[in-house]
Amino acid sequence: MKGIVLSIFLIAASIVAINASPQKSSPTASSRTSTANGPDWWKHAVFYEIYPRSFADSNGDGVGDLNGITSKLDYLQDLGVDAIWITPCFPSPQVDFGYDVSDYENIDPMYGTLADFDNLASEAKKRNIRIILDFVVNHTSDQHPWFLDSKSSRSSGHRDWYIWRDGKGPGQPPNNWVSGFGGSAWKFDPTTNQYYYHYFYAQQPDLNWRNPAVKDAMFDVTRFWYQRGVSGFRLDAVDTLFEDPNLTDNPIVRPGKNAFGDPIEKNQYNTKLPEVHDVLRGLRKIADEYDAVLIGETWTADVAELNQYYGEGNNEVQLPMDFLFTMVNKLSPAEFRKQIAEINSASGWPTFVISNHDIVRSYDRYGDGKHNDQIAKLMAALYLTLRGTPIMYYGEEIGMKTTPPTRKEEVQDPIGRTGWPKEKGRDGERTPMQWNASASAGFTTGKPWLPVPPTYKTHNVELESKDPDSVLEFYKRVLRLRHTNQALLYGSYTPTNEDNPKVLSYLRLYKDEGVVVALNMTQTPQKLSLKLKPHGFTSARKLLSTGSSAAHRSELSLPPYGIFIGELGK
Ligand code: NOJ
């Protein structure tokens, strides 16, 4: 599934090193959140993505909600989270589970009310947790009043807010563009005898960003939420904002069909048009007025493309996600080294994710079926100690497993139905959060909207909180370290022992302090003589490790999948 889902987004995307500037006030060990303050707060914050349907259900309807999230804020604070990104919770027909918005300035009754949102925001603030919302910029729902008006007549006030065109001929869409979610990207509407364009589902018509009124209305949406206390947005599908006005056909890249039975196109004329950067600069200008952050859903082919999203002089998205990191799909020190070096050469601050609601969970991508918990800790130790901002995905911290549907009839995600069995959709990575070992994993008292994976008995928050060796306790320890250690906060990324094919190791160096991270990516014990002298250090002293990992001066021994994080000494 992952390959196909990823390729959908890759198709959608057509396929100076800077030093972390230290904040003015240094963090103290006792005030974790002081590291995530000031205008660059997002550089030192840990973000946590919540899929609201699946996080916590407060009213027993089987679907998570905002009050559910509020009830778990203590958990998130204790875990070490500074900001939560909530995927769309606005009114929506839920065809794409919220990514089809019918009102940008309200809350879907399924998730609660604006008052519930305000309560969540104020409770989060008390705990120094910021709120990031998901801004679906490319399209609305076909039930949004703008679209309902737009489709009502060719002369309606909102006609030009969407992309309407005549067909090439009877029954023929305007060009060959295919939707990322299957079928033609054009839908005929008999009311006005024209086609409208939708990059995603037909129920998600694309907005016409060439119309200044669209821009103004959408920019105002961000002001509305900033004024309600939101600290930023994750920008959905930014690549798809503009299309070639001449509607040039996309080239077919190779013969054959994709999972949806469509020709395999390069999205040359309907993604990544340069105009997107004007919009991003505009959004950033407003964000800056509120010290807010913009996170980009940026599927890029390489770092050069990623750099475009940072913008010249970093005037676009502060945190464009580096999805190439998620594509290192094996425990390969060499491949990780390469990708980490690349992102450290980018023109902006790195952003790391290992899982999200569109891709197979990291637990399954890296797990070997035998050492999955150890490997989950290994991955945590990796992306939470790198130079850059990590975005966690709910459930990753307890080792949640991807659990795809086994029968087509069970599938909730529409692409899983149209693409079955090649594309099973994204239900597997969106299953309910596993809070405890009681019925429905403590997620709901009702019938959960997606089945709870059987692993909830062994992998849940309650159980793991009591087990010092659990994945959860490891996450908490790394996050504590990350928030308090100067070198991890502000240090350079300096690879070491780069010729070692089995252990990935690097230093984080800041002023005269240093930390080493060594990760055994194999199932056999490893020894490593750290090359510290060139950096003015001679030894490493353990800060955090797993199993029997140990250091004797600069000599490390690591058990299978062992982790060693140590402070460097002269
Ligand atoms: C990207 C989102 O992450 C995905 O879940 C959604 O289906 C598409 N954009 C369309 O909004």
Side-chain angles (χ1 to χ4, degrees):
M1 167 164 65
K2 175 192 187 276
I4 294 168
V5 169
L6 271 184
S7 62
I8 287 168
F9 290 98
L10 279 176
I11 292 165
S14 100
I15 249 194
V16 180
I18 54 165
N19 279 316
S21 45
Q23 310 279 293
K24 279 190 190 112
S25 57
S26 295
T28 62
S30 60
S31 75
R32 169 178 72 74
T33 48
S34 65
T35 59
N37 283 332
D40 283 351
W41 62 270
W42 43 269
K43 280 191 178 171
H44 303 296
V46 171
F47 290 72
Y48 183 97
E49 179 191 351
I50 293 181
Y51 200 67
R53 292 181 81 81
S54 300
F55 195 61
D57 174 21
S58 72
N59 61 3
D61 65 359
V63 176
D65 46 46
L66 296 187
N67 288 338
I69 299 175
T70 308
S71 73
K72 301 298 182 187
L73 287 171
D74 286 341
Y75 165 74
L76 294 169
Q77 184 184 26
D78 182 48
L79 176 60
V81 165
D82 303 290
I84 51 176
W85 147 32
I86 306 172
T87 65
C89 52
F90 317 105
S92 160
Q94 304 290 329
V95 172
D96 192 14
F97 301 118
Y99 284 97
D100 46 325
V101 178
S102 54
D103 178 357
Y104 285 98
E105 297 183 355
N106 215 327
I107 297 295
D108 193 296
M110 168 190 292
Y111 295 130
T113 60
L114 272 175
D116 294 334
F117 176 83
D118 291 341
N119 181 44
L120 166 62
S122 85
E123 288 301 317
K125 196 165 181 193
K126 286 184 199 158
R127 294 164 178 83
N128 287 309
I129 295 177
R130 296 170 187 258
I131 296 186
I132 307 299
L133 291 180
D134 205 318
F135 193 23
V136 188
V137 276
N138 174 65
H139 47 268
T140 68
S141 157
D142 63 348
Q143 299 307 307
H144 194 293
W146 298 340
F147 187 73
L148 294 177
D149 183 48
S150 183
K151 72 182 259 190
S152 66
S153 88
R154 288 194 185 203
S155 59
S156 76
H158 290 92
R159 184 64 173 181
D160 191 40
W161 283 46
Y162 295 85
I163 297 159
W164 292 96
R165 292 287 192 284
D166 292 330
K168 264 189 183 161
Q172 283 183 286
N175 68 8
N176 77 346
W177 297 351
V178 292
S179 157
F181 284 172
S184 167
W186 296 95
K187 171 138 192 206
F188 183 72
D189 189 60
T191 319
T192 55
N193 284 325
Q194 277 196 314
Y195 287 82
Y196 67 86
Y197 174 68
H198 57 92
Y199 184 84
F200 295 98
Y201 295 122
Q203 296 91 334
Q204 295 169 299
D206 274 47
L207 283 162
N208 175 16
W209 274 88
R210 296 186 191 278
N211 180 342
V214 167
K215 198 165 103 175
D216 290 349
M218 291 296 271
F219 281 14
D220 278 350
V221 169
T222 67
R223 293 190 181 93
F224 172 88
W225 288 109
Y226 289 141
Q227 282 155 17
R228 262 198 136 88
V230 159
S231 296
F233 289 94
R234 176 263 190 187
L235 304 175
D236 183 63
V238 284
D239 303 342
T240 57
L241 238 52
F242 284 87
E243 303 76 29
D244 170 23
N246 298 324
L247 305 188
T248 313
D249 273 351
N250 277 328
I252 309 286
V253 281
R254 56 174 191 277
K257 304 266 186 228
N258 67 18
F260 303 112
D262 297 319
I264 304 167
E265 291 183 1
K266 177 172 186 220
N267 292 87
Q268 188 168 335
Y269 294 102
N270 57 344
T271 64
K272 296 188 180 166
L273 268 67
E275 293 90 326
V276 74
H277 298 286
D278 298 332
V279 171
L280 293 177
R281 279 189 291 274
L283 287 169
R284 174 63 183 277
K285 239 179 161 172
I286 304 170
D288 282 348
E289 288 166 26
Y290 297 89
D291 273 348
V293 71
L294 298 178
I295 303 172
E297 191 203 10
T298 38
W299 293 92
T300 57
D302 50 36
V303 168
E305 261 188 18
L306 198 67
N307 282 343
Q308 295 176 10
Y309 288 104
Y310 288 111
E312 275 171 36
N314 281 284
N315 60 355
E316 296 188 26
V317 175
Q318 293 104 314
L319 299 178
M321 293 188 239
D322 176 24
F323 286 110
L324 293 168
F325 189 76
T326 67
M327 289 178 214
V328 180
N329 270 324
K330 48 180 180 257
L331 292 176
S332 158
E335 286 190 36
F336 276 119
R337 245 175 236 130
K338 186 167 162 274
Q339 188 50 34
I340 299 164
E342 291 249 310
I343 189 70
N344 272 280
S345 74
S347 58
W349 185 248
T351 309
F352 295 103
V353 282
I354 58 172
S355 296
N356 73 21
H357 63 285
D358 293 326
I359 59 176
V360 169
R361 284 180 176 275
S362 58
Y363 194 79
D364 308 274
R365 298 209 316 281
Y366 299 100
D368 65 354
K370 244 170 114 186
H371 305 90
N372 283 26
D373 284 2
Q374 280 151 277
I375 295 171
K377 293 177 196 170
L378 197 79
M379 289 308 295
L382 170 59
Y383 88 114
L384 299 175
T385 63
L386 286 172
R387 172 183 165 275
T389 296
I391 306 181
M392 298 171 58
Y393 182 49
Y394 84 92
E396 183 183 279
E397 75 275 22
I398 53 170
M400 266 176 70
K401 202 173 152 37
T402 311
T403 313
T406 49
R407 294 182 314 128
K408 188 177 173 185
E409 301 71 57
E410 294 164 10
V411 177
Q412 296 277 346
D413 183 14
I415 57 169
R417 288 197 294 271
T418 40
W420 191 272
K422 280 194 191 158
E423 168 58 73
K424 293 186 175 162
R426 299 161 291 181
D427 294 352
E429 50 265 28
R430 298 172 175 181
T431 58
M433 177 70 177
Q434 298 164 192
W435 294 104
N436 57 43
S438 71
S440 300
F443 160 71
T444 180
T445 52
K447 182 175 182 304
W449 79 284
L450 278 177
V452 172
T455 59
Y456 79 99
K457 294 238 159 89
T458 52
H459 290 74
N460 66 61
V461 170
E462 192 178 289
L463 202 70
E464 292 188 41
S465 302
K466 294 181 199 141
D467 174 3
D469 275 339
S470 66
V471 178
L472 178 59
E473 286 305 301
F474 186 78
Y475 261 87
K476 284 191 200 164
R477 287 203 290 269
V478 187
L479 288 174
R480 258 194 308 268
L481 193 60
R482 180 194 160 91
H483 278 108
T484 50
N485 183 289
Q486 301 276 319
L488 289 181
L489 281 167
Y490 310 123
S492 64
Y493 164 78
T494 306
T496 180
N497 297 70
E498 287 174 89
D499 49 355
N500 190 307
K502 308 215 162 141
V503 178
L504 175 65
S505 57
Y506 47 89
L507 312 178
R508 300 287 315 277
L509 302 174
Y510 177 65
K511 295 188 176 165
D512 56 356
E513 293 178 32
V515 162
V516 60
V517 178
L519 308 168
N520 178 0
M521 296 199 155
T522 72
Q523 52 175 317
T524 52
Q526 300 295 328
K527 300 240 178 260
L528 188 72
S529 296
L530 287 170
K531 295 176 183 161
L532 300 177
K533 287 222 175 90
H535 308 287
F537 295 101
T538 58
S539 62
R541 186 184 62 85
K542 182 165 93 182
L543 290 169
L544 179 57
S545 68
T546 55
S548 57
S549 295
H552 180 68
R553 298 202 62 78
S554 60
E555 302 299 315
L556 295 190
S557 53
L558 299 161
Y561 301 111
I563 299 164
F564 181 90
I565 305 176
E567 188 177 47
L568 300 180
K570 307 252 169 188

